[in-house]
Structure formats: C-alpha cells, structure tokens
Amino acid sequence: MNDHRGFESVIGLEVHAQLLTRSKIFCGCPTAFGATPNSHVCPVCLGHPGALPVLNRAAVEHAVRFGLAIGCRINQRSVFARKNYFYPDLPKGYQISQFDRPLCEHGQLVVDVDGQPRPIGIIRVHLEEDAGKNLHQGSDPSRSYVDYNRAGVPLAEIVSAPDLRSPAEAVAYLRELRAILIYLESCDGNMQEGSFRCDANVSVRPVGQSALGTRTELKNINSFKFVAQALEHEIERQIDVLADGGQVEQETRLWDEEAHRTRPMRGKEESHDYRYFPDPDLLPLVVDDGWLERLRRERPLLPADRRARLQGELGLPAPDVAMLVEDKALGDYFEAALSRCPGNPRAVANWVVNDVQALVKNAVGGAAACPVAPDALGALIGLVDAGVVASAGARQVFFELAAGRASDPAVAARALGVELVDDSAALAAAVDQVIASSGAEVDKYRAGKKQVIGYLVGQVLRRLGGKVDPKQVNELLRRRLDA
Amino acid sequence: MTSLDDLSLTEAAALLERRALTSRELTAACLARAEQRRSLNSVIALLADRAMVEAEDSDRRRAAGAARGPLDGIPLGVKDNILLAGVPATAGSNILRRHVAAYDATAVERLRRAGAVLLAKLNLDEFGMGSSNENSAFGPCRNPWDESRTPGGSSGGAAAAVAAGLCLGCLGTDTGGSIRQPAAFCGVSGLRPTYGRVSRYGVIAFASSLDQVGPLGRSAGDVALLMNAIAGHDPRDSTSAPRPVPDFAAAIGRGVRGLRVGLPREYFELGGCTADVAAAVRDAIAVLEAAGARVSEIALPHTRYAIACYYLIATAEASSNLARYDGVRYGDRVDPGRGLAELYLATRGQGFGAEVKRRILLGTFVLSAGYYDAYYRRAQQVRTLISRDFEQAFAAVDVIAAPIAPTPAFALGEKTADPLTMYLSDIFTISVNLGGVCGMSVPCGLSAGPRPLPIGLQLIGRPFDEESVLAAAGALQEATDWHRRRPPEGGSGRP
C-alpha cells in the first residue's frame, strides 16, 4: 500500500473512547450499556430547562492518565466549549466538548508493522459527552425513537496526526491505542457496542509530493477488519479518481459493509458551523500540581512495559509476545500462571497462547473468566517439568480442569491414571522383556539401523500403559543395546 | 395595625411569631388580593390549593413550636422562569406553555426548607428578554401605580405582585437589570446578588454568564431575609461560589457612618435622566450623606460600551441556551409531518416570540465562523474592561450610587416599535451584570404629576459585598418612607 501506482496514502484517525466511569460526565446517571431505553436519564442529561452540568472528576482522571501514557502535555487549565448543532439525539442542541483548549496535547504512539517501529503523533485528547441514539424500530414503524441512556456518557476523543501511511499501520495504531486504554482500565475497547469508535481521514498523493491531497472522512467503521477494508477501498477509489484525471471531493463517506465499499453520506451536512464558544455553565478545568503528580505517580502497567518484559526479560517468541500484550487479560493470566511456575516461561506462554486462548476465545470476560485457574495451569506445567506427567497426559488433565471436573492438577493426574511410573524395577523389567521378545528389531539396531529404537520405546510404553517418560525409556534401551 | 395588604415581610413575620396572625389568614388575604388585582396580569399560575395546604402545614409547625424561621408561613411568588416541581414553568413562552417542571430549583428548595408558602408563578418577558414585560406570551403585565404603564421587565410580574400586595416577596432573575428596573418602576426593593451568590440550578437560562436569581420585597430588610434563605454554594451549579454566607439581615441596621459612596460621572452625563429622576436620586444621596456617608465622584469610563457588549454576549449565550427547545423531548411540538427540519422550523417558529427570535438570530450571527473574533471575543475583552472599571472604583469607595433608569415607568406600547430604544433604557443596570458586582434598587421618590410614579435609587457593591449595599439601603429607608408608599387602589390610569 505504501507505494501504489505511484501514490502513497495519508491517514489520520479520530477515536472516540467511552470512559469507564460509573456515572455520566455531567450528572449522576449510570453509564451501564444495554439498559431499558431512557431508564438512565435525569433532567441534566435530558437537557431539561434549568438543568446544569457538573463535571465528573473520574472522567478527567481517565483522560489525564491516558494523556500521560502517550506522552502528552497535560494542559493544567483547559476549557469546555459548546458545539452547537441540532439533532434529536442531542438533548441540549449542543454538545459539551473541548475546542481550542483541550486537556491533553502533543502525544505520540509507536506502531510496529513488520518490525519497523514508527512514531505516530497524537495531536490532542479531549473530553466530551456522548449523544443519545436514534432508534428506527419501535412500536410504530412510521416513527423514530430516541434512547438517551448514552447521552452524557464520557468520551475521550483522540486525534492522531496524519502520520499513518497504510491501512496496516492504521490498524496497528488502533490496536495499540485500544490496548493502552484497556491496560488503564479506562475503556472496555468494545467496538461492536460502540465504546471504541473510529473515524478516518484519508487522502492520497503522488509519492514524493509533500503537500497533502484532498481528504475524505470515513465514518461507521466498527471493527479492525472494516477499518482495513474501508481504508483499502477508499484509497483505491481515490487513486482511481486521480489516475483518471479527476479530483477527489472533500466529503464524508460511510463504510457500507454489505456492499463492501464506501459511499457518500446522504445530504451534504458537513458544511456545519458549530459556533463553538466556552460553556458558561462550567468553570475552566484546572488540574493542579498535586492532582497531576498523584496521577503521574499512580502510573499503571502499560502494553509497552509488558512487551519489554516478555520480549527482553523472558525472551518469548514474537507472536506469543504480540498476543499476550494486546490481550491484557491473557497477558495477566500468563503472568499469574508463570508466578506458580517461574522456571519455564516459554512453556507457560505456549500453553496460554494455544490451550488457554482456544478455551476462552469466545467467552465473555476472556482469559479472566477461564475455568482453569492460572495457578492450576502453573502447577500442571510444574508437574510436566518435574517428570510427573508427560505432555500428552498433561493435556488430558487440562481438559479435566477445563470441564470443571477437577481443580487440583496433581489429583486429576492421579485420578486419570496419567502419572508417570516412578518405579525403576518395573521399567527395567519391561525393557528386558521387550529386548528378549524383539530379536529381529534388536538385531537391526545393532546392525546400525538406529531408528528402530522408536519401535522398541513404543513397545515398552505399551507394556507400562504409557505411564513412563518416553525419554527415560529411550535412554535405558540405548544403554542396554549399546552395551 | 395596618391592613394585611400593606404588611411588609418583616412585619408579617413578627405577627406570625407572636401568633397574632396565621399563615392561613395571610395566604388567604394574598389570594383574595390576587383575584382583586387580576387586571394587572402579574400572575401566570396561581397555586391557590397548594398554597393553602402549605400555609396550614406552617401553622401546624408553629403551633408545635417547630417554626423554621422568619419565612415560615410567608406567602411568596416566583418568577415563571424558576422551576417548581409539578407546576408549569413557562418562561413566558408558548414553547413551554405546557411544560411541567420535573424538579425544584435550588432557590425554591431553600425557600421551602425555610417554610415559605409558594403562591404564584409570575409574569415575565419571554425567557427574561425584555425591559417592559410586553414580550410575554401571556400578555403584558401592568404597573399597579398606573395600569397604562409597564411594570418594567423582565421580572415585571414579580415587582407588580409585591407592589400590589399579592405576596410579601418574590424571587426574580436579573440578567441585565431584570430585578432592579421593575423594582424601581413599581416602587419596591430588589437585589441582584453577585454572580455565583445564588444557585442558578432550576432557573431557565437566558444568558448563563449574566443570569442571577435575587429577591424583591417591600423593604431592604425583607430582601435581606429572603437572601438569608436562598444564598450559598450549590454543588449542582458549578458557577455558584463556595463562600460563606453572612447574615444579610444584620447589615440592614449597620448604618452608613464613614461609608464611602461614589457617584459615577458617566451615569449622570450619559443617561439623559428626567428632572424628576435626577432630583430624587440627588436627594437620596443627600440623605445618605446626612447619615454619615462620604460622597465623592468616581469614573466608570467604559460605561458607554456596556449595552453593545451586553447584546453580543447575552444573545450569543441565549442562542445556544434556547437550542434545547426543539419539540423533541418536552414542550409543545409542531410537526407538519414533512421530516425533521420542518419539525424544528415549525416548533421554534411558532413557539418563540419576535424578540426571542431576534436575539437568537443576533446571537447565532455573533458566534458564526469569521465573526466570532470581531464580536464575541471583542465583547469579552470589553467585559474585562468594565470589570476593571469597577475594581478601580471600588479601591476608593465602598458603594456606588446611581439612577436605575433614566425615566420612571414608561407607557405600554411606547417603545415596542423600536427595540433599540428599549435596549438603551437599560444603560444604568447592565454594567453590574457584566462587571460581576452586585446591585440593588430601592425606592427614593415619586415623580410629579397627577399620577405619581416610583423612582428607584441604584446601589452597587463589590463582588460578594451585598452587605454594604443593604446597609446603605437600610439607612435610606430608616430616614425616608418612600418604601412604604403603596400604589393607589384600583390601579386607575387606564385610558
């Protein structure tokens, strides 16, 4: 994509992240998703006459923590402004947002596509209130309905610089942004429910040209897959237009996932004059030194910290690192399991990214809700390392734990009968019997066909019902046969 | 004993306290008075049944020895842009004609807590936009001194109701003079507190950075008692000030010995006051001087820009504040069935009156891209200069004395044809709102002629120094009886 028929693409992203506060940004109504329409409303978030906003400081803390995490300058004095426009889902006829004095500015995020780390500028992060939702199905099909439960839910709007050069970079940027928000416990990152939403500004220009081309804005892209597809289609479309000698029109386009293409938004509504001005109902937001210092001190673990640990300190393979970093719950699970079995991070990672991940892939709550406790997995891996169970037996134990039929792996291994025999006499006897009864194979081995050892190991294992470590059998056989 | 209709709040409180009067009697008298003076059109909704229940509650409390203070059992009125749960709050507008308030305004809640009886929602200019009460969807209110004249605005109904004895005090709102000017026109006392002193929660916004709730009463003492109940920080209004609240009533008798009173040169030069107004104001200042005040001239050089500045800031804020009245969630909806845009146009087109539309248009223009810097930002800069004028003046004086309006109450219809002339009548009051100070109107004389009309003196104080203003008002009322004058019975004056 970086060089496409002599063009390069330039992408900037605007992300709206719902912040995980218990109450709305300017009133005490709950923010929970999925409630009965218009059950989480009050005079303030319905824009009743005389109602006034009062800022929820928890929303400010989320935004400041995020700003600090991406290296923003925190403006210790920022201003709420009114963005004026009419729409039924907007109760007051204006949205309380921030305009020329946002809370955070000048941050940066490093994205890594194909091992090439690239810094992406973040112009600003500001606080605003979400709007309600128009519902077009209700008891009367000729009417529209509005649900104001979402009106007033706090949002952080995160605006990137036009630094992204390909759909892959855009997706990598979004993944990292989302991971940071989830690590901070500031946003649940759920794109389907709309708690993490993305609009994209995209333009193309001939490679080597420094001036930006005319951009279009893409809306309604609610999954990483659609972000990539929508950008790819839009870039192709713009290049087609330019290659045909045409001009790209500045407009807002929607991603139509059915038709698999972008199309212009109906009605040219983008010539809005929002008539921003400072909201006289709210004082300037002041984040004093003490407050800022406390938030700085409370800096929680971030994806970059975990990446550094898993990659640098533990030396895990890159695909495992990527998965354990992006999925915070899975990474947390890994760390918890590892603390029980600190000697073998690779084995723990292997179990977590394969078996645990497969188990929780579609579960609500992800790895945090895994039926196999991380502690139990750690203990199980410990049993393998100590030679108590073989890996095939360990897998059986894992499924036993997953099915809820057991909670202690050692107990489960015994119950399943997959504990390895720790009886050298029985092993020696079995080896002797197999050597005695497999004259032809023994001859072949001694004649130099060493690979026949596999057959002999198998015979020994069968006699002992698989409850021995194959490595140990192999070793003992060789000692006898080579003597 | 004076008749019930003539009692001041302070006097009525004393009678209730002595059990020489019940709240039931007092409330019934006010309700009867309201019926008798219907021609004033000061009332939008009379809450007779509720008020009688509240009065009985109050009498029971008092009988049980559990009275809540001087306001317990006192019948009061509330301007109809202040919310009272379960009762329509119309703001004088068709668009809210049937809108029942979902909650009590903080100021109302505090009056209730003090035991007051809330008896009427009072007429006003639509959304507080006007100086004559003629911009009301419920028709103009009339001045009890002369029913052919305006009671002033926008709190015209409140001032008329207090003057005519429909209630013993009222809550009004003042964005550019809307408490003080009608108080002056109707011969009552009215205080516009410092911005932030009284919560705006539950007050239908006109211009949020200028709006302030305040009391109207029959004396400075009445006003102080009402202030004691409503003032103070409210966590539901981010712009309300977290400051301690003094006992305002204690300031009334404090006297003016040594108080430095400033006379703004520009007000006396610019205003074009009538001879009656100039003489009454001069006489009142002489009374204060005789009582020990030290009078000197001061300068408020940016006064000449105040009206222009006000009409940029107030209309800008109003254009945004009134956007919520779209017929979608509450209020009257007019839906021609041709889609959303038509619903908005019809609802707002029919719901708002001409002056409100004029100000929405002005404010929308002021905030538009390309004009913001020239108008809104520049007006904010001028506002800062006006505040600085007051700061400098208050370095040398404690209280500023001035006229409230260049003339006494003008005739209904006299200025409706020319909005600009109407705007200019607010020249003396508007700076107080822009400058973030407090101001009061107290009666200081009557005009000459067969039908005398009240004249008001304006007293302006430092931010949050309502006490000095009340002290000066108290001293004037100690030495004069202008505040005891009542309008002639029967209203008269109608052509």
Side-chain angles (χ1 to χ4, degrees):
Chain A
M1 287 307 298
N2 286 359
D3 182 356
H4 224 180
R5 292 185 269 166
F7 287 92
E8 75 168 353
S9 51
V10 176
I11 301 164
L13 298 177
E14 273 176 34
V15 167
H16 288 89
Q18 281 185 358
L19 299 174
L20 285 173
T21 55
R22 268 179 306 175
S23 53
K24 293 184 179 181
I25 184 168
F26 295 121
C27 65
C29 289
T31 52
F33 181 82
T36 310
N38 297 314
S39 60
H40 293 170
V41 294
C42 73
V44 174
C45 58
L46 285 178
H48 268 228
L52 295 171
V54 176
L55 180 62
N56 179 350
R57 288 167 68 92
V60 178
E61 299 209 341
H62 280 300
V64 170
R65 278 202 200 95
F66 176 73
L68 291 172
I70 56 167
C72 277
R73 184 182 81 199
I74 307 300
N75 290 326
Q76 288 186 254
R77 189 184 159 89
S78 64
V79 173
F80 285 99
R82 294 185 181 177
K83 179 181 182 180
N84 295 284
Y85 65 96
F86 287 99
Y87 203 63
D89 68 7
L90 190 69
K92 299 184 294 295
Y94 57 84
Q95 178 195 30
I96 304 178
S97 180
Q98 295 193 301
F99 183 51
D100 53 358
R101 304 282 299 277
L103 183 54
C104 316
E105 286 180 287
H106 312 305
Q108 192 187 78
L109 203 78
V110 176
V111 299
D112 193 333
V113 176
D114 306 327
Q116 305 228 304
R118 284 227 308 126
I120 305 300
I122 289 177
I123 296 172
R124 57 188 278 147
V125 179
H126 73 245
L127 280 169
E128 61 185 31
E129 57 181 344
D130 211 340
K133 225 177 192 169
N134 287 4
L135 306 171
H136 296 291
Q137 64 261 39
S139 48
D140 179 349
S142 69
R143 288 168 178 270
S144 290
Y145 295 80
V146 196
D147 175 8
Y148 293 102
N149 282 351
R150 204 179 67 176
V153 168
L155 294 175
E157 179 175 320
I158 304 152
V159 183
S160 88
D163 289 349
L164 298 156
R165 291 290 172 271
S166 70
E169 277 190 0
V171 170
Y173 166 87
L174 287 174
R175 284 186 186 280
E176 184 70 7
L177 204 67
R178 180 171 171 276
I180 293 171
L181 286 163
I182 291 172
Y183 273 60
L184 294 170
E185 293 173 8
S186 289
C187 176
D188 66 19
N190 190 325
M191 293 183 84
Q192 277 73 45
E193 287 178 7
S195 44
F196 185 86
R197 311 197 284 268
C198 169
D199 300 335
N201 288 303
V202 54
S203 63
V204 299
R205 64 184 170 193
V207 171
Q209 178 186 305
S210 60
L212 292 169
T214 304
R215 68 184 159 86
T216 58
E217 189 182 359
L218 299 181
K219 284 186 179 288
N220 194 31
I221 31 188
N222 59 1
S223 77
F224 291 136
K225 195 175 88 190
F226 292 152
V227 169
Q229 289 177 351
L231 284 171
E232 273 156 23
H233 278 79
E234 180 58 17
I235 289 162
E236 287 299 318
R237 189 191 69 82
Q238 290 189 12
I239 293 173
D240 286 346
V241 169
L242 295 179
D244 284 355
Q247 284 196 325
V248 173
E249 217 179 303
Q250 182 164 344
E251 62 183 351
T252 300
R253 299 177 69 89
L254 296 179
W255 171 243
D256 184 336
E257 45 181 272
E258 309 275 291
H260 213 74
R261 62 185 183 86
T262 66
R263 58 176 168 79
M265 213 159 89
R266 265 179 311 158
K268 303 246 178 282
E269 296 180 61
E270 59 273 17
S271 57
H272 266 312
D273 177 358
Y274 289 119
R275 293 174 286 121
Y276 281 100
F277 75 107
D279 190 336
D281 287 332
L282 290 160
L283 302 175
L285 167 56
V286 175
V287 180
D288 63 25
D289 292 345
W291 195 11
L292 186 58
E293 209 32 59
R294 176 169 67 74
L295 293 171
R296 238 188 254 282
R297 264 200 320 272
E298 288 173 359
R299 177 189 186 281
L301 180 87
L302 291 173
D305 305 327
R306 177 161 281 168
R307 190 173 293 119
R309 169 170 154 76
L310 301 188
Q311 207 156 41
E313 201 177 313
L314 302 177
L316 297 181
D320 291 7
V321 171
M323 195 178 251
L324 293 173
V325 168
E326 186 178 333
D327 185 339
K328 175 167 190 283
L330 203 64
D332 290 347
Y333 188 102
F334 166 80
E335 290 286 0
L338 184 66
S339 69
R340 179 63 189 258
C341 172
N344 198 348
R346 276 179 174 260
V348 176
N350 197 39
W351 273 92
V352 171
V353 302
N354 294 305
D355 304 78
V356 173
Q357 163 67 9
L359 196 60
V360 302
K361 205 162 26 180
N362 298 313
V364 179
C370 181
V372 180
D375 197 52
L377 178 66
L380 178 59
I381 297 167
L383 293 177
V384 176
D385 287 347
V388 178
V389 292
S391 55
R395 200 139 274 127
Q396 275 179 267
V397 171
F398 182 80
F399 290 119
E400 203 67 5
L401 297 172
R405 286 189 292 266
S407 56
D408 182 331
V411 174
R414 201 168 307 130
L416 286 171
V418 296
E419 273 185 311
L420 298 181
V421 169
D422 186 22
D423 182 343
S424 41
L427 178 57
V431 166
D432 287 346
Q433 283 164 14
V434 167
I435 289 175
S437 63
S438 312
E441 284 75 15
V442 170
D443 289 346
K444 277 189 197 160
Y445 178 88
R446 287 192 169 135
K449 259 194 112 175
K450 302 283 184 198
Q451 61 269 41
V452 81
I453 189 97
Y455 168 78
L456 297 170
V457 170
Q459 291 301 307
V460 175
L461 290 177
R462 185 178 301 170
R463 271 169 198 274
L464 293 171
K467 297 180 198 179
V468 284
D469 185 351
K471 262 191 282 179
Q472 206 186 342
V473 176
N474 189 302
E475 213 168 283
L476 193 57
L477 273 168
R478 280 177 196 275
R479 228 182 296 144
R480 288 290 182 82
L481 295 171
D482 294 344
Chain B
M1 185 181 124
T2 45
S3 103
L4 283 188
D5 298 337
D6 284 339
L7 288 177
S8 73
L9 193 161
T10 311
E11 289 159 353
L15 292 174
L16 288 169
E17 165 94 55
R18 289 210 314 271
R19 312 287 294 275
L21 179 67
T22 65
S23 174
R24 240 187 98 81
E25 289 165 343
L26 192 57
T27 303
C30 287
L31 289 169
R33 189 81 180 144
E35 286 303 323
Q36 196 189 332
R37 301 304 306 266
R38 282 178 85 119
S39 61
L40 292 176
N41 196 30
S42 64
V43 175
I44 287 180
L46 196 63
L47 313 174
D49 297 343
R50 289 170 62 120
M52 287 312 292
V53 171
E54 289 167 16
E56 282 160 17
D57 288 347
S58 168
D59 287 336
R60 259 194 299 279
R61 275 196 299 274
R62 200 172 290 280
R68 295 175 184 166
L71 297 188
D72 202 332
I74 300 285
L76 298 174
V78 174
K79 186 179 180 180
D80 206 24
N81 60 351
I82 302 175
L83 271 57
L84 222 147
V87 170
T90 69
S93 180
N94 276 326
I95 212 161
L96 289 175
R97 190 177 273 271
R98 276 168 284 271
H99 172 65
V100 175
Y103 63 101
D104 274 342
T106 297
V108 164
E109 191 183 280
R110 290 181 178 185
L111 288 182
R112 276 190 200 294
R113 215 181 294 152
V117 172
L118 301 173
L119 165 132
K121 299 299 296 287
L122 299 163
N123 205 350
L124 70 161
D125 286 294
E126 187 176 0
F127 288 101
M129 298 179 185
S131 310
S132 67
N133 212 130
E134 289 166 294
N135 303 327
S136 168
F138 296 83
C141 176
R142 295 175 179 279
N143 192 317
W145 291 81
D146 176 348
E147 290 196 14
S148 71
R149 292 183 183 267
T150 167
S154 65
S155 311
V162 172
L166 276 60
C167 52
L168 287 110
C170 275
L171 292 187
T173 59
D174 188 320
T175 305
S178 283
I179 288 175
R180 290 160 289 155
Q181 183 252 27
F185 281 10
C186 293
V188 301
S189 301
L191 174 66
R192 168 182 145 123
T194 311
Y195 186 82
R197 184 60 111 176
V198 181
S199 170
R200 292 186 296 115
Y201 189 74
V203 178
I204 298 180
F206 160 15
S208 312
S209 74
L210 300 161
D211 294 343
Q212 186 62 196
V213 177
L216 295 96
R218 288 184 157 181
S219 70
D222 292 4
V223 163
L225 287 177
L226 290 167
M227 276 299 286
N228 278 355
I230 64 173
H233 179 242
D234 176 12
R236 289 174 297 187
D237 174 2
S238 310
T239 63
S240 86
R243 299 174 66 103
V245 177
D247 177 5
F248 294 103
I252 295 295
R254 205 162 76 180
V256 289
R257 186 149 303 281
L259 191 80
R260 298 169 302 171
V261 175
L263 308 182
R265 190 181 306 137
E266 295 78 6
Y267 283 39
F268 292 92
E269 283 168 2
L270 283 177
C273 287
T274 64
D276 286 351
V277 169
V281 168
R282 237 187 352 258
D283 290 350
I285 291 163
V287 169
L288 292 177
E289 200 163 20
R294 300 206 309 263
V295 176
S296 61
E297 197 173 72
I298 55 152
L300 296 171
H302 295 94
T303 301
R304 70 180 70 241
Y305 306 111
I307 287 182
C309 173
Y310 175 85
Y311 278 94
L312 296 174
I313 291 172
T315 57
E317 293 180 5
S319 71
S320 174
N321 283 333
L322 270 56
R324 65 186 61 192
Y325 308 113
D326 58 4
V328 173
R329 290 162 312 284
Y330 53 79
D332 280 10
R333 176 190 299 177
V334 184
D335 186 0
R338 290 190 299 272
L340 184 61
E342 292 285 324
L343 183 149
Y344 285 149
L345 291 171
T347 298
R348 292 168 65 81
Q350 294 181 34
F352 291 136
E355 180 63 25
V356 170
K357 286 181 194 164
R358 180 179 294 122
R359 295 198 195 188
I360 290 175
L361 287 172
L362 240 160
T364 303
F365 176 76
V366 162
L367 291 176
S368 298
Y371 297 100
Y372 182 90
D373 286 334
Y375 295 118
Y376 190 76
R377 195 184 299 279
R378 177 62 62 89
Q380 290 293 1
Q381 289 163 348
V382 172
R383 186 174 183 175
T384 304
L385 295 175
I386 289 171
S387 293
R388 211 166 288 158
D389 276 1
F390 279 114
E391 256 168 60
Q392 282 162 8
F394 281 123
V397 299
D398 303 308
V399 164
I400 294 169
I404 285 283
T407 67
F410 47 88
L412 290 167
E414 187 181 324
K415 300 193 185 196
T416 45
D418 182 359
L420 201 59
T421 315
M422 189 78 90
Y423 295 172
L424 291 171
S425 68
D426 293 335
I427 177 144
F428 298 136
T429 50
I430 266 173
S431 294
V432 164
N433 303 65
L434 291 168
V437 294
C438 57
M440 185 165 184
S441 176
V442 283
C444 70
L446 290 173
S447 67
R451 230 165 255 140
L453 294 168
I455 295 167
L457 171 72
Q458 179 164 224
L459 294 163
I460 302 170
R462 294 186 183 92
F464 299 101
D465 186 19
E466 290 85 3
E467 288 166 281
S468 291
V469 166
L470 287 164
L476 183 70
Q477 296 188 356
E478 181 68 35
T480 66
D481 69 348
W482 299 113
H483 63 294
R484 294 190 191 282
R485 306 291 180 92
R486 297 286 179 259
E489 276 310 305
S492 73
R494 296 185 78 171

